[in-house]
Amino acid sequence: MTSPLIVIRARRSHSNHAEIARSIGIDIIVGRYPDGAKLPGDAELTLTFGVSRPVLREAVKTLVAKGLLSTKARVGTVVRPRAAWNMFDPDVLAWHLDAGIDKSFLTDLAEIRLAIEPRTAALAAERRTETDLTLMRTAIERMRAEAARQTADFAEADLSLHIAVANAAGNPFMRSIGAAIEAALRASFQLSAPRDSDDYRATVAAHEQIVDAIAERDAAAAATAMTNVILIGLRRHEPAS
């Protein structure tokens, strides 16, 4: 049995070609156009979406650039295998959220976080500035305030801390990866919110351990604390017993 899908509505696109790319992208993600399927021709798609050929072709170019489609002479426009998709692309991630995500998606996300964020925290411990620490402490205070109210903004405060840690690491590649998966992280944090007052307090304390280790320039402790936070969030995706 597959786990249930949870839909997180993303912000809408502002241009015709971007909105069409989103619509086709979601159709690909949910399997309406499976791997290897050929998209309908331009005439059918322009009629379906009520747009001109240039607008449609711009949408297709967008999907080709993101790895979802390929175009070949005398073959047409074909859906590429999932392994070819650029999963770090913010639009591709947002379309997954629109299409509905399940435990498998969240587990995949946790695995890539475990591969990156503990090392990011370790680097932050080595390179952080006083300004970085101020931003982290501010994020902790926001988390503490939202924990008292148990609001959805707790996830935003949580995310702001992880971004501050990524910035403090001083590695532009790590920060770029963090920016690319920000939408998915936001969804993960929202879906794995603490369940009661004690859980909220424990979550804030676990995050504070990351900041304390970074402040003390203890790279190993920072990495361990970050790993613990990610695993705690992953366990919350499990149904309550």
Side-chain angles (χ1 to χ4, degrees), residues 63-223:
L63 292 166
V64 168
K66 297 176 187 299
L68 276 69
L69 294 175
S70 65
T71 57
K72 296 180 180 179
R74 296 186 297 277
V75 174
T77 304
V78 178
V79 176
R80 298 186 69 191
R82 184 180 178 85
W85 303 354
N86 180 6
M87 292 297 293
F88 284 123
D89 183 277
D91 286 334
V92 175
L93 284 166
W95 299 338
H96 275 84
L97 303 183
D98 270 349
I101 56 178
D102 57 13
K103 183 186 173 184
S104 175
F105 180 93
L106 294 172
T107 299
D108 290 343
L109 175 60
E111 288 173 352
I112 192 65
R113 291 182 64 197
L114 286 168
I116 295 171
E117 286 196 85
R119 180 57 181 159
T120 300
L123 288 175
E126 297 171 358
R127 301 171 179 175
R128 59 59 172 184
T129 66
E130 290 304 315
T131 299
D132 291 323
L133 285 178
T134 297
L135 292 172
M136 292 178 210
R137 297 292 188 198
T138 299
I140 290 291
E141 291 309 311
R142 282 182 59 199
M143 290 179 68
R144 187 171 285 114
E146 298 304 337
R149 293 189 288 267
Q150 297 187 18
T151 68
D153 288 338
F154 184 84
E156 294 298 320
D158 189 336
L159 178 61
S160 71
L161 173 61
H162 288 263
I163 292 173
V165 172
N167 285 333
N171 186 313
F173 292 101
M174 287 180 171
R175 181 61 189 97
S176 294
I177 291 173
I181 65 175
E182 186 172 322
L185 286 176
R186 181 174 286 110
S188 178
F189 293 157
Q190 289 172 344
L191 295 172
S192 61
R195 293 169 177 156
D196 53 42
S197 297
D198 289 342
D199 201 7
Y200 270 98
R201 284 192 291 271
T203 300
V204 174
H207 283 77
E208 198 162 19
Q209 288 178 358
I210 299 172
V211 179
D212 288 343
I214 291 173
E216 294 167 6
R217 298 194 185 278
D218 189 334

